Amino acid sequence: TLDNLNHHYTNISKFIENNYFLSILCFFFIYFFSVILCLPFAWFLTISGSMIFGWFLGSILSIFSAGIGACVVFLISTFILPEYLKKKIKSKEGMYYKLKKETQKNAFFYLLFARLIPVFPFFFINIAPVFMGIKFYTFAITTFLGIVPGALVYSLIGDGARQILLNGGLVEKKNLYSHEAFIGLIGLAILVVLPVIIRKIKLLKNKNKF
């Protein structure tokens, strides 16, 4: 919690100094298993990582632990998917098939959009593509690409909080939020999906001509 970081920051820093590589491994596996177990505080771990390791190492650890964890969740979901749902994915009937077909057609853009926009729960984006029949390599590429901007933003916020702690202050919750960063990520997400929107508009215009 934020209170624990405030009150034990000095002890945590000393532990990291004396057990550097062990600390990195511990943080990696804490983050990794939080993703595997679908625990809803990945954003706080990203901020915490930069507060205790600095923004550069903290962001790298967050990107790789979150990315690898997400890929493992995707693979596990694929293998344990109930037979009924597997048949449904292969089905070529109804609204579900149309949605799946559209998602598969523009999978790269849609998945990257979902990763970038800080609205969808992380665990939802890890599991939902399985039901859409998205290929693993598409999921993995968009996951790592999509995680980077958000991880850098949260890491820089965490690094700002780290400076407060180093100067002897206490970090408050308001220090961990940035409306500008939130708006920036939404804007980037919209830019990513813009080619799909433009293509849809062109198709509609061509249909109306006929």
Side-chain angles (χ1 to χ4, degrees):
T1 65
L2 186 58
D3 286 338
N4 282 333
L5 281 173
N6 275 322
H7 292 105
H8 301 290
Y9 183 75
T10 303
N11 291 332
I12 292 170
S13 298
K14 286 180 180 177
F15 180 84
I16 291 172
E17 189 177 337
N18 295 325
N19 305 274
Y20 189 68
F21 292 106
L22 176 62
S23 300
I24 289 173
L25 282 174
C26 284
F27 180 80
F28 176 88
F29 282 110
I30 288 170
Y31 205 132
F32 174 79
F33 282 110
S34 76
V35 174
I36 294 290
L37 298 172
C38 300
L39 302 177
F41 47 73
W43 68 274
F44 183 71
L45 286 174
T46 303
I47 289 174
S48 301
S50 62
M51 287 174 70
I52 60 179
F53 291 110
W55 76 268
F56 183 73
L57 179 58
S59 59
I60 289 175
L61 287 172
S62 297
I63 289 165
F64 278 97
S65 52
I68 294 170
C71 290
V72 171
V73 171
F74 179 91
L75 292 172
I76 291 172
S77 301
T78 302
F79 288 120
I80 66 171
L81 198 64
E83 199 62 34
Y84 167 75
L85 291 173
K86 287 181 180 178
K87 289 177 182 177
K88 194 73 176 171
I89 287 172
K90 294 176 183 177
S91 171
K92 293 188 177 182
E93 296 178 0
M95 194 68 185
Y96 176 81
Y97 173 70
K98 291 178 182 178
L99 179 62
K100 185 191 74 169
K101 191 177 179 182
E102 170 61 25
T103 305
Q104 288 178 341
K105 187 178 178 181
N106 300 290
F108 181 86
F109 297 103
Y110 288 147
L111 287 178
L112 197 53
F113 171 81
R115 286 291 181 199
L116 287 169
I117 195 165
V119 173
F120 300 108
F122 193 72
F123 69 89
F124 173 78
I125 311 171
N126 294 340
I127 296 172
V130 177
F131 295 90
M132 294 292 110
I134 304 298
K135 300 293 184 184
F136 174 72
Y137 65 85
T138 303
F139 175 86
I141 291 169
T142 54
T143 292
F144 280 98
L145 285 176
I147 284 173
V148 171
L152 289 175
V153 166
Y154 285 126
S155 292
L156 289 171
I157 291 172
D159 194 59
R162 179 171 180 255
Q163 298 306 316
I164 294 172
L165 289 171
L166 290 173
N167 291 326
L170 293 176
V171 179
E172 299 177 28
K173 285 186 178 180
K174 65 181 182 181
N175 300 128
L176 305 182
Y177 295 97
S178 170
H179 295 298
E180 292 82 4
F182 185 83
I183 293 168
L185 287 173
I186 291 175
L188 184 58
I190 292 170
L191 283 175
V192 164
V193 83
L194 200 58
V196 178
I197 296 170
I198 293 170
R199 197 183 308 146
K200 295 292 180 187
I201 292 170
K202 285 182 178 179
L203 284 173
L204 285 172
K205 284 183 177 179
N206 290 334
K207 284 181 179 180
N208 291 331
K209 285 179 181 179
F210 296 103

